Amino acid sequence: MELLVKIERHLRATGMPRTRFGRDTVNDPRLVDDMRRGRVPGADVRARIERALAGARAQ
């Protein structure tokens, strides 16, 4: 599944603002907006996002 789709689902499910997700995950409040415009995160950022999403699912 595409990473942005996972993020969007997480945001809808939790009600978390997109800027908060980016700031908490990779210290970049524009992360989600940039990804919506086509930004492709590098391997390190991608791994941090995946860990954050996995941690949220585990709770």
Side-chain angles (χ1 to χ4, degrees), residues 16-34:
M16 178 183 284
R18 69 193 185 289
T19 54
R20 175 73 185 253
F21 177 82
R23 188 178 305 112
D24 289 353
T25 305
V26 295
N27 200 32
D28 181 359
R30 297 182 326 188
L31 173 71
V32 177
D33 288 334
D34 288 350

Side-chain angles (χ1 to χ4, degrees), residues 2-3 5 11-14 18-20 22-23 27-28 30 33 37-38 42-45 47 49 51 55-56 59:
E2 188 178 329
L3 187 56
V5 172
L11 295 177
R12 277 193 304 274
T14 63
R18 69 193 185 289
T19 54
R20 175 73 185 253
R23 188 178 305 112
N27 200 32
D28 181 359
R30 297 182 326 188
D33 288 334
R37 287 191 290 272
D44 181 54
V45 170
I49 293 168
R51 279 194 303 270
Q59 292 181 354

Side-chain angles (χ1 to χ4, degrees), residues 4-17:
L4 182 57
V5 172
K6 291 181 185 179
I7 294 169
E8 297 286 4
R9 286 183 179 168
H10 172 74
L11 295 177
R12 277 193 304 274
T14 63
M16 178 183 284

